[in-house]
Amino acid sequence: MRAADDVAALSISTSLKSAVTTLRQSLNNALQAGSYLQVADAALANIDDMLQRMAALSVQSGSGTLTSTERGFLNQEFRNLYDEIDRIAENTNFNGLAVLQQEYGDLLQGVSVVNEVAEASYGTLTFNGNVGAGQTIILNQVTLTEGIDFNRAGTVNQTVQNLADALNSHSSLRIQQANYTAIGNTLQITHKAAGAYGDIYTIDEQTSSARLNYSTFGQNVLGGTDRYTLLGGVDGTTYMGSVTASGSSANSLITGQNQTLSTATYFFDSATNVSDGDFFR
């Protein structure tokens, strides 16, 4: 059709053709958006399956019939799943466009953030003399007997080292709640769980037969003289704007195999997203 034949009809035809072309492209865009969402859905479904498996591993690790080696295997699978979730989140893309990642610079503009890492509780036993033959030390309601659970040596320092070694390899879950370090004639006890939860570990000098040979340092007398809990751990709290997350921290048995302090990382896409007066601590 030429403009000389019917100018009005040509104009209408051109407008309709343009509208059809636009609608077709809109349809293509919608189909691509659907494909984008399908990629995101598949990635999130995989992550959901992994999180459910990680939850099952955490419950399984709480079984009292497992050895430390078996818990180590569970922990390795747990860590592998954790790393795989990170890999999926970082690498899932549609036509080169990241699907599960987001820059947070604009979101954090004008927001004050405070992140505190929880601290574990601890206590010490300082030996003023060597442990006698057959004497007992009661830690967290478990009785340790010299000559059976640990061996005294010719020096106090070596006896403390023998005691630390025995405690770190002990089969009782109550003893496994803490790590033990010999520092000269002092045994340092550090709870594996951070925050106030770690204070529950008890040191009972009162009923230990070796109590005259060492002095105990802790806090909170428990039902009598010379019964202590560990020095208090510090709970971590994170603030972001008006939202606050806080509370006692407690590591599960599976994460207890490989302790890592919690951290938070924030990314800014440009320096202009931070305003005067903002602070980060």
Side-chain angles (χ1 to χ4, degrees):
M1 179 180 292
R2 298 177 303 165
D5 297 329
D6 191 339
V7 176
L10 179 61
S11 176
I12 294 172
S13 174
T14 302
S15 297
L16 289 173
K17 183 178 180 180
S18 176
V20 169
T21 301
T22 301
L23 289 172
R24 284 176 176 171
Q25 186 57 55
S26 297
L27 176 61
N28 288 337
N29 290 350
L31 291 174
Q32 290 179 354
S35 298
Y36 178 94
L37 293 175
Q38 287 177 356
V39 171
D41 181 69
L44 291 173
N46 286 335
I47 291 176
D48 181 67
D49 290 341
M50 293 177 190
L51 290 173
Q52 292 189 38
R53 175 58 180 163
M54 291 167 75
L57 289 171
S58 297
V59 174
Q60 183 180 359
S61 70
S63 173
T65 63
L66 297 178
T67 65
S68 297
T69 300
E70 290 167 336
R71 286 197 179 91
F73 293 146
L74 294 177
N75 183 60
Q76 184 60 53
E77 182 179 353
F78 188 96
R79 297 299 305 178
N80 289 342
L81 290 170
Y82 181 93
D83 293 338
E84 181 63 12
I85 289 175
D86 276 351
R87 189 194 68 80
I88 291 175
E90 292 173 1
N91 297 318
T92 301
N93 70 87
F94 181 80
N95 195 29
L97 180 65
V99 174
L100 300 180
Q101 288 184 308
Q102 172 67 45
E103 295 291 343
Y104 295 101
D106 292 336
L107 297 177
L108 285 174
Q109 184 173 358
V111 176
S112 299
V113 178
V114 179
N115 182 56
E116 299 177 7
V117 177
E119 296 178 2
S121 56
Y122 70 94
T124 58
L125 304 179
T126 301
F127 289 73
N128 298 321
N130 214 339
V131 177
Q135 288 189 327
T136 60
I137 299 173
I138 301 177
L139 300 176
N140 214 24
Q141 303 179 43
V142 176
T143 300
L144 303 157
T145 303
E146 190 285 325
I148 298 176
D149 301 293
F150 70 98
N151 295 315
R152 65 172 179 166
T155 65
V156 175
N157 291 6
Q158 187 56 54
T159 297
V160 175
Q161 184 63 62
N162 291 347
L163 178 59
D165 293 341
L167 289 167
N168 285 320
S169 60
H170 204 280
S171 60
S172 170
L173 293 179
R174 291 184 179 274
I175 295 298
Q176 291 175 13
Q177 288 180 17
N179 291 321
Y180 307 87
T181 305
I183 305 174
N185 66 336
T186 296
L187 177 71
Q188 179 170 301
I189 304 172
T190 305
H191 206 286
K192 289 182 178 180
Y197 181 85
D199 298 349
I200 64 172
Y201 188 107
T202 59
I203 302 169
D204 192 344
E205 182 179 357
Q206 185 182 52
T207 55
S208 299
S209 64
R211 64 188 178 90
L212 298 178
N213 292 321
Y214 59 83
S215 54
T216 307
F217 297 89
Q219 70 172 13
N220 299 334
V221 175
L222 300 177
T225 305
D226 295 335
R227 289 182 176 175
Y228 306 88
T229 62
L230 300 181
L231 292 169
V234 178
D235 291 333
T237 303
T238 299
Y239 303 93
M240 182 171 289
S242 60
V243 179
T244 302
S246 62
S248 296
S249 303
N251 299 320
S252 66
L253 288 174
I254 193 166
T255 58
Q257 302 299 318
N258 183 14
Q259 295 297 311
T260 303
L261 289 176
S262 59
T263 59
T265 304
Y266 303 95
F267 298 93
F268 299 87
D269 55 4
S270 69
T272 59
N273 287 326
V274 180
S275 304
D276 291 340
D278 293 343
F279 70 89
F280 298 86
R281 185 172 60 196

